[in-house]
Amino acid sequence: MTSRAHSVCRLWLLIFPSVICRFVYPNQTNVDSTVRPLIDVTTEELGTGLEQGFFTSVDLVNAYIARINEVNSTLNVVTELNPDALAIAAELDAERSNGTTRGPLHGMPILIKNNIGTADRMGTTAGSFALLGATLPRDSGIAAKLRAAGVVILGKTNLSQWANFRSTNTTNGWSAYGGQTFGAYYPQQDPSGSSSGSGVASSLGLALAALGSETSGSIVSPSQANNLVGIKPTVGLTSRALVIPISERQDTVGPMARTVKDAAYLLQAIAGKDPNDNYTLAQPFGTPPDYVGACNYSSLRGKRIGIPRNIIFDDEGEAPVLAAFETAIRTIRRAGATIVDNVNITSFALDQYLNGNSSTIVLEADFLSDLPKNYLSKLATNPNNVRDLEDVSNFTQNFPPEDYPDRNTEIWDEAFALGFDNTSPQFWAAYQNNLEVAGRQGILGLLTNYSLDALVLPTDFSAGLPALVGTPVVTVPLGFYPSNATVVRNERGTLVETAPNIPFGLSFLGPAWSEASLIGYAYAFEQRTHVRNQVQPYLVPNVELTDIVRKKRRLVRRF
């Protein structure tokens, strides 16, 4: 063997250390028959392939990176790749080859939203140049749990800047640092937000799944727009420590995946208490429930599911959604559930929900306090010296790439104009009003008064009330706009909001800590309908895991 060949082999073993055992010559027939296209493959299928040695975690990382590189220039999904991903995957392959696995996500590449902090060579920016180069003293609670579960954090996804909490005239999926993300079901599709990149990435199989965050709609909305399952957990089920905040009372981190069970696996990995987030200490259990085990085909049997009709609005363009919703109700009934129709929130709650300002006051006052207290003050390095919202606003308005004033800072301006933060009695009054509107007179009152197990709504109408009381929502694919749908663009004319083949979803809502039940209902519906498979994106990466394995096999055989 030539010296150059020896060098290549040394490099090969550095990148693929586990190749020296059972992974050297994967059985090509087994690989082809075991691995479905990465846009469809599930956690359990990848786990089987890894365990049987048909491919490695390094192979997975290489495949997903190649897929990202194929579409990122068009869709602008991933803002940065983890430069250590291959090395981490190799370490996890070595653990597996020695008989050690950390759990069902061992060696699985996952993408996370670029507001979830990591203490590595990736940045955490919320899409703003104000935080470019800033570093953290430790991983966020979420990132730490992912690593403990054996996940390869593959990279970070673009988002609506500051999680859609800066401008009143911006676009979903735009950030100064990351540019404009597009969905993949129609050219220039609005990806929804704020977890825009996570939605598109998971939908296209640019990773096994992705994490998003939600304050009000930012998981469930981009999940439905990208034909995904999204779980918005109870506030406090998953840690927010060192996640760039909006509101400690409403922020939560959850999975966005192609199947209910895949989302359940990811939620299982990130749920649990974190001493750095006191909200998690309120969990009513020592160990989170078995979310994967909750995926039962019969979960809807004998359950009482309510429909609050007075928060479903027949707006322009909603006809296909509402028609599909009625079909879904029939499916749920056939699955053994009792449908309790017209369980409506009170007129006071409806008026406050549509016309009140308490929800805005809570978010603005929380942001004023939480951004410096829970994130900026904890930075290890802070090159732009942004210590509070005023500093961030000044930077944004004076740094041209932030696109100000074309994209305003009106949300922040309104927060400053409040004249108080979340320590004020005025704040407390607004927060108590939220709890009344969404609680006793809203969705929690409905669940109690009608002895309901859950509520069901089109996802378009599901996020707002649960946001106010921090309760969970699970969305699952429901349908797609028909071929004759009118193309509707956003106000800027830069994104397509409605068009043929754009997906929409169905949501199950429940009381706090009811994720296991909601996952079961969503699974039972998913398994009866398989909506996700009915339409494919217009743009799909070509590289598959089998391509990576074949390439590796050819290279090994040269030596």
Side-chain angles (χ1 to χ4, degrees):
M1 191 181 293
T2 67
S3 60
R4 178 179 179 277
H6 279 293
S7 297
V8 170
C9 281
R10 283 196 298 271
L11 176 61
W12 181 262
L13 294 179
L14 176 65
I15 299 176
F16 303 105
S18 54
V19 167
I20 58 177
C21 55
R22 56 182 174 166
F23 300 132
V24 175
Y25 299 109
N27 184 297
Q28 190 61 52
T29 301
N30 286 339
V31 172
D32 288 342
S33 62
T34 301
V35 184
R36 290 195 293 159
L38 290 174
I39 197 170
D40 298 318
V41 74
T42 67
T43 301
E44 292 177 350
E45 289 166 345
L46 289 182
T48 297
L50 287 166
E51 188 59 32
Q52 295 187 7
F54 297 153
F55 50 84
T56 68
S57 296
V58 167
D59 294 332
L60 281 174
V61 169
N62 279 317
Y64 285 129
I65 289 175
R67 289 170 71 83
I68 290 167
N69 287 336
E70 267 194 85
V71 301
N72 214 39
S73 61
T74 302
L75 301 178
N76 219 28
V77 176
V78 177
T79 57
E80 54 193 306
L81 290 167
N82 186 350
D84 300 313
L86 282 169
I88 292 168
E91 291 172 4
L92 292 166
D93 282 335
E95 288 182 16
R96 187 183 293 275
S97 69
N98 290 329
T100 300
T101 57
R102 305 185 193 184
L105 295 181
H106 186 102
M108 305 284 188
I110 300 292
L111 287 162
I112 64 176
K113 186 176 180 178
N114 202 338
N115 62 350
I116 300 173
T118 52
D120 54 17
R121 292 196 287 166
M122 292 187 290
T124 308
T125 65
S128 172
F129 285 98
L131 292 177
L132 188 62
T135 60
L136 292 166
R138 65 179 188 277
D139 275 336
S140 63
I142 289 292
K145 283 185 177 292
L146 289 176
R147 296 193 206 277
V151 165
V152 180
I153 300 177
L154 183 62
K156 297 198 178 181
T157 57
N158 198 23
L159 70 164
S160 308
Q161 192 179 43
W162 294 103
N164 251 350
F165 208 71
R166 166 193 151 177
S167 307
T168 58
N169 66 341
T170 188
T171 51
N172 289 323
W174 178 89
S175 73
Y177 178 65
Q180 177 65 60
T181 297
F182 298 99
Y185 281 85
Y186 194 87
Q188 297 184 318
Q189 180 198 342
D190 186 333
S192 191
S194 65
S195 305
S196 314
S198 292
V200 180
S202 183
S203 183
L204 289 179
L206 306 187
L208 170 61
L211 288 183
S213 68
E214 176 156 333
T215 307
S216 181
S218 288
I219 289 173
V220 298
S221 184
S223 290
Q224 76 154 345
N226 291 286
N227 200 20
L228 293 174
V229 175
I231 301 176
K232 178 249 176 170
T234 302
V235 172
L237 181 64
T238 57
S239 173
R240 291 87 47 80
L242 297 184
V243 176
I244 298 172
I246 294 176
S247 168
E248 62 188 82
R249 288 159 184 81
Q250 293 187 203
D251 293 348
T252 186
V253 176
M256 304 169 71
R258 293 180 296 277
T259 70
V260 174
K261 188 173 280 190
D262 284 348
Y265 272 114
L266 191 47
L267 181 63
Q268 200 79 58
I270 62 174
K273 296 178 180 179
D274 179 358
N276 293 309
D277 181 353
N278 64 334
Y279 279 69
T280 67
L281 305 183
Q283 293 175 16
F285 33 70
T287 301
D290 182 356
Y291 300 120
V292 178
C295 295
N296 187 317
Y297 186 83
S298 301
S299 293
L300 283 165
R301 184 178 302 157
K303 302 305 179 182
R304 289 173 56 83
I305 309 297
I307 307 173
R309 293 280 179 182
N310 68 341
I311 55 173
I312 300 173
F313 307 107
D314 189 7
D315 298 331
E316 185 178 357
E318 290 287 349
V321 177
L322 299 182
F325 179 67
E326 296 305 323
T327 300
I329 296 307
R330 292 191 289 273
T331 300
I332 293 169
R333 184 180 283 113
R334 287 195 298 269
T338 297
I339 299 297
V340 186
D341 213 337
N342 284 306
V343 292
N344 293 324
I345 68 173
T346 68
S347 57
F348 169 79
L350 182 62
D351 177 67
Q352 287 291 302
Y353 179 48
L354 297 178
N355 305 309
N357 66 347
S358 292
S359 59
T360 301
I361 290 172
V362 168
L363 294 184
E364 291 172 351
D366 260 351
F367 193 54
L368 282 168
S369 298
D370 292 350
L371 180 63
K373 180 182 70 174
N374 295 338
Y375 195 80
L376 298 179
S377 66
K378 300 182 185 300
L379 291 173
T381 61
N382 188 350
N384 291 312
N385 199 33
V386 287
R387 305 294 177 182
D388 55 23
L389 183 57
E390 185 175 1
D391 289 342
V392 171
S393 181
N394 288 336
F395 178 93
T396 300
Q397 293 178 4
N398 290 284
F399 190 68
E402 290 286 323
D403 201 23
Y404 176 87
D406 185 52
R407 297 176 197 261
N408 62 39
T409 56
E410 191 169 310
I411 291 174
W412 300 346
D413 300 339
E414 291 175 357
F416 295 135
L418 275 181
F420 59 86
D421 61 18
N422 66 9
T423 63
S424 165
Q426 293 167 275
F427 168 84
W428 190 249
Y431 180 53
Q432 291 304 305
N433 192 64
N434 281 357
L435 297 183
E436 179 72 10
V437 167
R440 189 176 66 88
Q441 298 200 43
I443 57 173
L444 298 185
L446 299 182
L447 290 164
T448 299
N449 296 337
Y450 291 91
S451 301
L452 301 174
D453 294 288
L455 301 173
V456 66
L457 287 166
T459 299
D460 278 346
F461 309 112
S462 70
L465 288 170
L468 302 184
V469 286
T471 52
V473 182
V474 177
T475 182
V476 64
L478 172 61
F480 305 85
Y481 281 92
S483 59
N484 63 349
T486 301
V487 175
V488 178
R489 289 186 171 269
N490 65 345
E491 290 183 5
R492 285 179 174 260
T494 56
L495 294 176
V496 173
E497 294 180 335
T498 303
N501 292 338
I502 288 182
F504 48 81
L506 177 77
S507 286
F508 293 92
L509 294 67
W513 319 113
S514 64
E515 284 80 2
S517 296
L518 300 184
I519 286 168
Y521 308 151
Y523 181 82
F525 178 80
E526 171 197 58
Q527 293 302 302
R528 286 169 170 81
T529 56
H530 298 287
V531 171
R532 175 174 167 78
N533 302 329
Q534 294 173 9
V535 173
Q536 292 295 307
Y538 83 91
L539 178 63
V540 177
N542 292 310
V543 174
E544 294 293 347
L545 181 57
T546 50
D547 299 319
I548 301 300
V549 172
R550 290 190 193 109
K551 183 177 180 180
K552 183 176 74 174
R553 185 184 63 166
R554 287 196 299 269
L555 181 57
V556 169
R557 284 180 173 175
R558 291 180 187 177
F559 306 102

